[in-house]
Amino acid sequence: MVNTNIPAAPTVGFDLDMTLIDSRPGIRACYQALAARTGTYVDADLAVSRLGPPLVEELVNWFPAERVEETAELYRAMYPEYAITPTLAMSGAREAIAAVRARGGRAIVVTAKYEPNAKLHLAHLGIEPDAVIGDLWAEQKALALREHGASVYVGDHTGDVRGARTAGAVSVAVATGPCDAAELREAGADTVLADLTEFPRWFSDYCSDN
């Protein structure tokens, strides 16, 4: 059940990859470097076309099960060198967080990404949320959303929709990631936006209506 008791200064959660940031160039570069380091083929273009789920869920497609955990550790260690600088902010990302702040609200990031690397991305791009919580995927995201009292969660994946629904938060989906608008609606998103440039107007209407 979606929480309709909206505080005057709401907390809004945002996903990271393909919601606030376009990490595809950086992640592609990191996968290519990982393949060179390990001598194992990884189709980096395919991997970045399905961002969202935890890293290990992608690595099982390329590495034997017994090597996945150690490879994940290597990837995370290599990530700052290869993935931070090429990554860009998504259109409207800074404005979306500013819209929450303009209402006196809090903006938090809840992501499946390894938390230290998520923080590096945001610092590099000058995006300053009130909190960053990493290593949570799909329904697990509800843990952080509830803890921080988030009434809205914004993401680009059906897993983000499930996280919002589990938390009782309004699910706002942006069709900027691997899931198209129809998939996001079918998953139960309350609102589907083309991208974050549409978020400030939606958020203004949402706050006015509640």
Side-chain angles (χ1 to χ4, degrees):
M1 180 179 296
V2 172
N3 177 16
T4 57
N5 183 21
I6 308 303
T11 295
V12 177
F14 291 88
D15 178 49
L16 186 62
D17 292 304
M18 302 313 298
T19 298
L20 287 175
I21 66 173
D22 184 353
S23 51
R24 291 174 298 182
I27 291 177
R28 180 185 293 110
C30 194
Y31 273 127
Q32 289 170 339
L34 180 72
R37 178 81 62 88
T38 61
T40 301
Y41 174 73
V42 176
D43 186 334
D45 289 318
L46 178 58
V48 300
S49 74
R50 51 194 184 198
L51 297 180
L55 171 64
V56 294
E57 293 191 18
E58 181 62 43
L59 293 180
V60 296
N61 296 303
W62 314 106
F63 294 87
E66 65 273 13
R67 292 184 57 200
V68 165
E69 287 300 329
E70 67 178 77
T71 304
E73 291 182 11
L74 175 60
Y75 173 94
R76 293 181 185 117
M78 297 171 62
Y79 195 94
E81 179 180 356
Y82 292 97
I84 302 301
T85 300
T87 291
L88 304 172
M90 296 291 283
S91 296
R94 296 181 179 89
E95 292 82 359
I97 288 179
V100 176
R101 297 261 173 73
R103 289 276 178 169
R106 297 175 71 247
I108 66 172
V109 171
V110 183
T111 174
K113 188 179 291 298
Y114 180 54
E115 188 173 304
N117 288 340
K119 290 179 176 178
L120 287 176
H121 273 304
L122 293 163
H124 177 74
L125 293 169
I127 298 173
E128 300 179 351
D130 294 283
V132 179
I133 305 95
D135 305 290
L136 296 175
W137 164 240
E139 288 83 357
Q140 296 173 339
K141 294 188 174 190
L143 299 172
L145 296 173
R146 287 173 176 151
E147 179 182 351
H148 289 267
S151 56
V152 176
Y153 185 58
V154 185
D156 64 279
H157 199 284
T158 55
D160 299 323
V161 177
R162 300 202 308 271
R165 305 294 293 185
T166 301
V170 173
S171 172
V172 177
V174 285
T176 49
C179 303
D180 63 26
E183 290 178 272
L184 294 164
R185 290 192 188 94
E186 186 176 350
D190 296 294
T191 298
V192 179
L193 308 177
D195 57 36
L196 282 180
T197 63
E198 298 181 359
F199 178 82
R201 180 184 292 275
W202 176 88
F203 189 63
S204 178
D205 291 344
Y206 166 79
C207 290
S208 297
D209 292 344
N210 291 283

